[in-house]
Amino acid sequence: MTALRTRQPTGRVPWPLILIEGGEKSGKSWACAQFSTSPRIGQMYWLDLGEGAADEYGAIPGAKYLVIEHDGTWAQIQGAVDAVKAEAARAAAAGEPPVVLVIDSMTAEWELLKDLASDKALRRHELRVRKYNAKPLGPDEEPKISMDLWNDINSRHRKLMTAVMTFPGIVLLTARGKEVAALDEAGKPIEKKRDYRVEGHKTLGFDVSCWIRLDRTKPGTVIGVRSVHVGIRPGYDDPIELARDWSIENIVFDTLQCAPAEAHTRDLVALQPAEPDDNRPVSGPPANRPVSGPPAALSAAATGLLDDLRQATDETGLRRIWNAAGEATREGRISPAELEHVRGQWRIRKEQLIPSNPATEQMHKKIHVLCKEAGLDDRDTRLLFLSDVTGREIDTQRRLSFDEGKAVIDRLEAAVAQSNPPADQEGQAA
């Protein structure tokens, strides 16, 4: 029986995570840049994603922030957030004014992730066309994004949001919002009825601690806030109208009453979907498997990889972390010693999530050998073959059930036998 552990709530105000959304030219980016003039904050870092306002707003009198340079790839975007988070932790530990991170905008972030999924779906379909004579897409057709691709981009978004939700400083997120046609349960437009929608991931409003909406034609409003100092009861209280001279500085330090000396990061404990096996230790290296201890001091990149590893729940997540560790080493963001430590912990996590089974391992080895003999050396081609045999999308061989694996082996053995007939049959054919 697990011992119950409890503690008293601290009552401390956490570091704020603020969403500022609204229509075009409603002042979202301006409000963020103006906040940089506050003497109550430390260094502000601005991550511009598809908005292009960072340079121009640097001309606001007293504005002081650093623009983060990146090449538009997800790896650099996530890496930049992790690096700023590490700097914010250092500043907080040193008692310095809080670091501020601006991400402008989360609308562009979600569009980037959807584009990544769409691009992968298109490449998969083009491979099917080349290898299996599938029907090409029409000029107005879009490739179908499979569930594993949706899971992948949702996992990436969750990783970014976890980083900002546990940021030891102040985070400002912008997003676009607009009125759209209201839909009924069947997805059809409702005549003369409009709804408001924030353009971004559907959980964005849930994750932030304060939600501000700006408008070009009327005063802005605080839609929702998680605070004991100011409350908006859904269904009872109207959104709070912002004063003409409102500022993010006033929201953070006066309305939310964030005190840098006492503020804390959100206490997010990663949920563990894998149940522990009573016959196997929950933590620690598998038997007879040497794992090196951690280097004296881990870099921010290595710490981020270990955080991701603790949150991994399936083989897809594990594979992404393994590849990310290799990429970080090649780019010099983590040392070879850190790589060895991360991959040692990776093997432990894999053993926790995917316990080894001798029969299953033998099956996968046989499939691997037969695929080579059948000429299925290319990974994408091999996965398409597995999907064809099983009748469902297979993004990794490890997702095969034991019965599916047996069916794949039967098909491969038949294909190998057909391509390599016995000598007497070859003579008869000649």
Side-chain angles (χ1 to χ4, degrees):
M1 180 176 178
T2 303
L4 180 65
R5 296 186 303 168
T6 64
R7 64 176 176 83
Q8 293 290 334
T10 65
R12 293 186 300 165
V13 176
W15 291 110
L17 173 59
I18 301 176
L19 171 63
I20 307 169
E21 54 90 1
E24 66 277 6
K25 310 300 183 293
S26 57
K28 303 182 292 294
S29 302
W30 178 280
C32 294
Q34 188 180 51
F35 185 40
S36 72
T37 66
S38 170
R40 303 164 79 175
I41 65 172
Q43 182 63 61
M44 175 184 285
Y45 294 88
W46 192 297
L47 183 57
D48 195 314
L49 304 180
E51 294 298 322
D55 281 315
E56 182 177 3
Y57 286 156
I60 293 176
K64 54 181 188 303
Y65 55 84
L66 297 176
V67 180
I68 300 172
E69 296 184 336
H70 60 89
D71 61 3
T73 62
W74 184 256
Q76 288 208 8
I77 291 170
Q78 180 68 62
V81 172
D82 292 339
V84 176
K85 182 179 179 180
E87 170 58 19
R90 184 208 61 77
E96 299 175 4
V99 168
V100 180
L101 171 63
V102 175
I103 302 181
D104 188 26
S105 70
M106 296 302 290
T107 300
E109 176 260 355
W110 185 233
E111 290 298 323
L112 168 62
L113 288 175
K114 290 192 294 184
D115 286 344
L116 284 174
S118 181
D119 181 64
K120 288 185 178 180
L122 179 59
R123 284 190 277 119
R124 284 184 181 181
H125 185 81
E126 289 175 343
L127 190 59
R128 292 190 185 97
V129 172
R130 293 196 307 270
K131 298 291 185 179
Y132 297 98
N133 296 320
K135 181 182 177 182
L137 293 173
D140 298 323
E141 289 183 291
E142 293 288 337
K144 181 180 178 181
I145 300 177
S146 58
M147 186 56 65
D148 69 298
L149 295 180
W150 281 117
N151 290 341
D152 175 60
I153 64 172
N154 276 301
S155 176
R156 292 177 187 234
H157 172 79
R158 178 48 44 193
K159 176 184 175 182
L160 180 70
M161 289 306 300
T162 299
V164 297
M165 290 169 71
T166 57
F167 190 89
I170 302 165
V171 180
L172 309 178
L173 308 176
T174 71
R176 299 180 184 183
K178 64 180 181 181
E179 285 192 342
V180 296
L183 304 177
D184 60 19
E185 293 181 356
K188 296 181 180 180
I190 302 175
E191 187 176 357
K192 297 181 180 179
K193 187 174 181 180
R194 307 283 288 177
D195 281 339
Y196 190 91
R197 185 181 71 188
V198 177
E199 297 183 28
H201 193 277
K202 61 184 179 181
T203 64
L204 190 57
F206 292 91
D207 294 333
V208 298
S209 55
C210 180
W211 179 350
I212 298 173
R213 178 171 297 162
L214 301 183
D215 192 288
R216 286 187 293 112
T217 61
K218 57 186 178 182
T221 52
V222 178
I223 300 300
V225 62
R226 185 186 297 114
S227 172
V228 298
H229 302 292
V230 56
I232 301 176
R233 297 173 300 171
Y236 294 92
D237 299 330
D238 292 329
I240 300 174
E241 185 174 300
L242 295 173
R244 179 180 294 274
D245 61 347
W246 83 279
S247 67
I248 296 177
E249 179 180 15
N250 176 261
I251 293 288
V252 170
F253 298 110
D254 300 326
T255 303
L256 299 179
Q257 296 189 24
C258 176
E262 300 178 357
H264 70 100
T265 58
R266 289 202 219 181
D267 186 14
L268 294 182
V269 179
L271 302 181
Q272 304 296 330
E275 292 291 343
D277 186 339
D278 291 338
N279 298 320
R280 182 169 48 89
V282 174
S283 61
N288 301 321
R289 178 176 291 167
V291 177
S292 62
L298 292 174
S299 65
T303 301
L305 288 167
L306 293 174
D307 288 341
D308 295 342
L309 188 58
R310 283 188 285 271
Q311 297 179 45
T313 58
D314 56 22
E315 190 166 0
T316 300
L318 288 172
R319 186 171 62 250
R320 185 166 60 249
I321 294 167
W322 180 278
N323 294 335
E327 181 181 353
T329 305
R330 290 190 294 272
E331 294 177 352
R333 290 185 285 115
I334 68 174
S335 68
E338 288 176 319
L339 175 65
E340 182 182 358
H341 175 63
V342 168
R343 288 192 166 170
Q345 296 301 309
W346 183 94
R347 294 183 180 94
I348 295 173
R349 185 62 175 152
K350 180 182 179 183
E351 189 70 17
Q352 292 174 351
L353 295 177
I354 314 168
S356 58
N357 181 302
T360 304
E361 290 301 316
Q362 188 65 29
M363 178 190 77
H364 286 306
K365 288 179 181 179
K366 189 168 185 179
I367 290 175
H368 183 72
V369 171
L370 287 171
C371 280
K372 285 200 167 188
E373 292 180 4
L376 300 176
D377 294 324
D378 178 75
R379 179 177 181 276
D380 288 336
T381 304
R382 185 167 64 253
L383 293 178
L384 285 173
F385 171 79
L386 299 179
S387 300
D388 181 62
V389 174
T390 60
R392 65 185 182 92
E393 187 78 14
I394 299 294
D395 62 341
T396 172
Q397 182 179 314
R398 293 282 175 175
R399 291 195 185 278
L400 293 173
S401 68
F402 195 79
D403 289 338
E404 287 174 335
K406 290 167 61 179
V408 168
I409 289 173
D410 290 341
R411 179 81 72 87
L412 285 169
E413 287 179 336
V416 171
Q418 186 175 3
S419 61
N420 299 290
D424 58 336
Q425 291 185 14
E426 291 180 344
Q428 292 174 11

